[in-house]
Amino acid sequence: MSRLPGRITGIAVLVGLLAWFYQLQGGLQLTGMNNQLLWGLYIGNFIYLVGIAASAVILVVPVHFFAQRQWALSAVVGECLALMAVAAALLFVTVDLGRPWLFFHGLPGLGTLHFPASIMSWDLLVLVAYLLLNGLLLLRFLLTGRSPASVPWMVLAAVLGIAIHTVTAFLLAANPARPFWHSPLLAPRFIASAFASGSALMILIFYQIKGAMASVQLLNYLVRVMTVTLLIHFFLLAAELFVLFYHPTDHGHSARLFYTGLDGSLFHGGWAWWALSLQGMALLLVRWSRAVPWAALLLVIGVWMEKGPGLVVPAFVPTALGEVAFYRPSWVEWTISAAIMVWGVSGLIWLVRKVLRRWPSHAADVALVPSQPHRP
Amino acid sequence: MSGVVSRRQLLQGAAVTTAAAASTAAAATLPQSWGDALDSLLQSHFRQMSSEEVQQALRRIEREVQRRYQVSVHCQATAAQPGVVFGYALNLSRCVGARRCVEACVRENNCPEDGHTQYIRVVSQDRDNRTLEGADHYFQPRQVPEQGRWYLPVQCQQCADPPCVQACPVQATWREPDGVVVIDYDWCIGCRYCAVACPYWARRFNWQQPELTADQINPELHYLGNRPRSAGVMEKCTFCIQRTRQGKLPACQEACPSGARVFGNLLDEQGELRYILTHKTVFRLKEDLATHPSFWYFTDP
């Protein structure tokens, strides 16, 4: 096997660390954020990855609730995705902090975690719980070879998956100060689009895995989940747009700027329409089975644009005092973000390979659906 | 000879420094600045400190400011006085948009003068405009007041139900018994969620190490108020806690050239503030958000 991917990862991580130390030394002024635009690319990526982290639920649900036992080990691949996504999400929060070395102020016992009042304390708890649970289940699988599918812990992981989604959406929706988020539709919209892009990511992953684990039935199921959740996402969006534009008020100003545009802002106007166009194209392409990976790729990008920076940045425009603010991520932000993403993807590939190496010894444990024998 | 003396002085100085650092057991062999840094890193949340720990923290802050800016300062932690809840009323008919309050606030609270950290934002509004959309944040006329315009100064509204306090994941910000929302600058982790939650744009983040010069330092400091901040922490208006808890007026009221500002104790029934709240038609900003500000606006008939 070539060592090149490992080296690229190493270099990316090193560059990312250097950029982070540079940012720690010079302060967050080295980002594109400011007192008007308080959160940007980092938190955008955090939000998106929390959505991805929960998509393991898509595979856990059929195994446990619809008795699709033959997908049990495929669900382990989903757990790998969840683990790396939630780990990367927590890294994005860390690099966004002004004084990350004081993280222990939020640890129960050592610090003064503001639980239950602060939604961020809830988010930290469920994210760390999800990280630990997925990490331990995977570790157990890799060490002992026991399939996590047999454990009720998997069900807990699924519940936590929905919880991290919901709590992260509530983290934003809890703020009357930010009308762009202050909507009961935010959590359902967030879950619908995250499931769409989560299943799209898993389609891309299972296309790379040959053999019984990535059966045609499994891929068909993922395509169906992707299509249905994308349609639900579009419906919820339409409901939101109706309210925003039928009788426009100040409350909807941020959202209207996001969709209709603001000259000179990277994340306004064109950004939303590109995001929605990519999602729409995915919906059209998914009809042709050969185009499914392309549809999945477009959807991953489209949802990242919308549920990443596109969900965070517009909430600050205009500001709470009606000022129009601008944000453009700095090279430090792009570098650190890219490094975390590369680290996450490499970690995922490494984990999935480990899991696949465990696979042959477990073929017997699992009731596999045999493929159709060839009849001459 | 003089060389020997200066070396002896140097050694004496070092001995004094070491002795002071020895008070921190963990940092006994390190220079005092290291000990102070370690102390500030490991110190408890302000509300969990014993009165002795508070005194240690105050002396440490004084040393740190002295080291950084070569200014001797006095840092206090005067507690809220019983029977006092601070409130503010602002007469919009009188405000002329001179921004003297902003200037005085920056100086009083040891904010850098680069303009990035101003607790008060005065916006200029067209006579016909009553919403914040379209307000002019950067008005620079030759003279104020301008024909056909009115001015709205906004600062921390010291809400009775503050969304920022609720948001903070580590309880680094809270509402004091006298109604002032404060921050423990040594406890804040810099996530900025409080500023995200604030509907009044009242909180400012230190995106870099604030630049202050010795002659800009106001030496009368309060732990929860105007002591110099460092990079990566949030700060805000505290109704000049270092002044008002000593019975003085906040700097913004003192500086106002038109007498538009009335600061006082809400519990003082004979006070001017209570007179205004009883006899004038007052309103609060974004009252629909149920934050219950301690800051009222009113106009002359």
Side-chain angles (χ1 to χ4, degrees), chain B residues 25-196:
Chain B
T29 55
L30 297 172
Q32 192 185 30
S33 58
W34 290 35
D36 283 348
L38 201 64
D39 277 353
S40 81
L41 182 71
L42 297 178
Q43 98 187 9
S44 314
H45 187 286
F46 179 74
R47 287 201 287 180
Q48 293 176 348
M49 287 183 196
S50 64
S51 55
E52 195 180 309
E53 284 172 321
V54 170
Q55 288 307 317
Q56 277 171 12
L58 295 177
R59 299 296 86 79
R60 172 183 61 73
I61 289 161
E62 287 169 357
R63 283 197 301 274
E64 280 173 347
V65 177
Q66 166 88 50
R67 255 199 304 274
R68 208 154 93 193
Y69 304 104
Q70 279 81 48
V71 183
S72 69
V73 293
H74 173 242
C75 191
Q76 36 134 344
T78 312
Q81 310 300 306
V84 176
V85 174
F86 291 127
Y88 220 136
L90 198 147
N91 188 342
L92 291 171
S93 308
R94 287 216 182 163
C95 178
V96 292
R99 292 203 191 97
R100 293 286 185 272
C101 50
V102 182
E103 229 168 74
C105 170
V106 164
R107 297 232 90 184
E108 168 65 32
N109 288 295
N110 290 317
C111 301
E113 299 198 350
D114 57 13
H116 287 301
T117 309
Q118 297 174 341
Y119 299 160
I120 308 173
R121 174 58 64 98
V122 185
V123 299
S124 162
Q125 300 259 61
D126 196 83
R127 271 279 161 238
D128 306 327
N129 188 17
R130 290 288 178 277
T131 73
L132 283 162
E133 316 292 340
D136 185 356
H137 287 249
Y138 303 99
F139 62 102
Q140 280 289 11
R142 216 172 284 160
Q143 219 177 358
V144 287
E146 302 152 277
Q147 257 321 313
R149 299 199 72 85
W150 63 287
Y151 305 93
L152 177 70
V154 185
Q155 62 206 73
C156 178
Q157 310 282 301
Q158 316 290 0
C159 308
D161 198 352
C164 53
V165 168
Q166 212 179 357
C168 179
V170 296
Q171 308 188 40
T173 184
W174 64 92
R175 187 170 183 262
E176 286 276 289
D178 55 5
V180 181
V181 175
V182 294
I183 301 170
D184 183 348
Y185 309 120
D186 291 329
W187 200 254
C188 169
I189 59 173
C191 72
R192 310 187 291 293
Y193 191 35
C194 58
V196 169

Side-chain angles (χ1 to χ4, degrees), chain A residues 27-29 33-36 38-39 96 98-99 102 105 112-114 118 171 175 177-178 253 318 320-321 323, chain B residues 121 133 137-138 165-171 185 187-193 195-197 199 201 205 207 233 286:
Chain A
L28 285 168
Q29 56 150 336
M33 294 181 277
N34 53 49
N35 270 324
Q36 277 87 3
L38 295 151
W39 284 347
D96 189 66
R99 299 200 293 181
L102 295 182
H105 289 179
T112 51
L113 188 69
H114 200 191
S118 169
L171 179 89
N175 297 295
R178 310 285 166 188
H253 198 178
L321 293 188
E323 190 181 352
Chain B
R121 174 58 64 98
E133 316 292 340
H137 287 249
Y138 303 99
V165 168
Q166 212 179 357
C168 179
V170 296
Q171 308 188 40
Y185 309 120
W187 200 254
C188 169
I189 59 173
C191 72
R192 310 187 291 293
Y193 191 35
V196 169
W201 195 61
F205 188 67
W207 299 90
V233 301
K286 304 195 185 187

Side-chain angles (χ1 to χ4, degrees), chain A residues 67-304:
Chain A
Q68 300 284 328
R69 306 293 297 177
Q70 75 275 19
W71 292 346
L73 283 167
S74 312
V76 179
V77 174
E79 295 287 302
C80 296
L81 178 63
L83 178 70
M84 289 316 294
V86 77
L90 286 170
L91 282 186
F92 273 112
V93 177
T94 309
V95 297
D96 189 66
L97 291 180
R99 299 200 293 181
W101 55 91
L102 295 182
F103 72 97
F104 63 90
H105 289 179
L107 293 183
L110 269 177
T112 51
L113 188 69
H114 200 191
F115 186 80
S118 169
I119 299 298
M120 197 179 271
S121 72
W122 284 75
D123 213 17
L124 286 175
L125 287 178
V126 289
L127 283 170
V128 170
Y130 196 62
L131 180 84
L132 291 178
L133 185 61
N134 276 313
L136 290 175
L137 286 178
L138 268 175
L139 194 68
R140 198 183 78 134
F141 172 76
L142 290 174
L143 291 180
T144 69
R146 300 237 294 283
S147 162
S150 57
V151 194
W153 291 108
M154 271 297 252
V155 180
L156 179 63
V159 173
L160 273 177
I162 298 293
I164 59 168
H165 253 81
T166 312
V167 174
T168 305
F170 285 178
L171 179 89
L172 305 180
N175 297 295
R178 310 285 166 188
F180 186 68
W181 297 330
H182 194 232
S183 152
L185 264 190
L186 193 81
R189 272 185 65 195
F190 188 31
I191 294 203
S193 60
F195 271 30
S197 70
S199 44
L201 250 182
M202 278 196 276
I203 289 169
L204 289 175
I205 292 169
F206 283 113
Y207 258 83
Q208 305 303 315
I209 300 173
K210 307 283 178 273
M213 195 194 272
S215 63
V216 175
Q217 289 93 331
L218 178 76
L219 283 168
N220 279 344
Y221 164 71
L222 287 174
V223 168
R224 229 169 283 160
V225 170
M226 179 175 94
T227 313
V228 170
T229 50
L230 186 58
L231 285 169
I232 295 172
H233 162 59
F234 278 145
F235 171 70
L236 295 176
L237 177 69
E240 190 114 63
L241 289 177
F242 166 75
V243 174
L244 285 171
F245 286 94
Y246 182 73
H247 187 102
T249 65
D250 278 359
H251 196 75
H253 198 178
S254 294
R256 284 198 307 280
L257 281 177
F258 178 53
Y259 293 110
T260 59
L262 173 66
D263 281 347
S265 172
L266 175 63
F267 296 105
H268 283 86
W271 189 267
W273 292 111
W274 268 106
L276 293 175
S277 306
L278 291 177
Q279 294 168 15
M281 272 189 263
L283 196 61
L284 294 176
L285 281 178
V286 85
R287 294 159 54 93
W288 293 281
S289 58
R290 293 185 64 177
V292 163
W294 292 106
L297 184 66
L298 293 181
L299 195 54
V300 167
I301 298 169
V303 173
W304 175 80

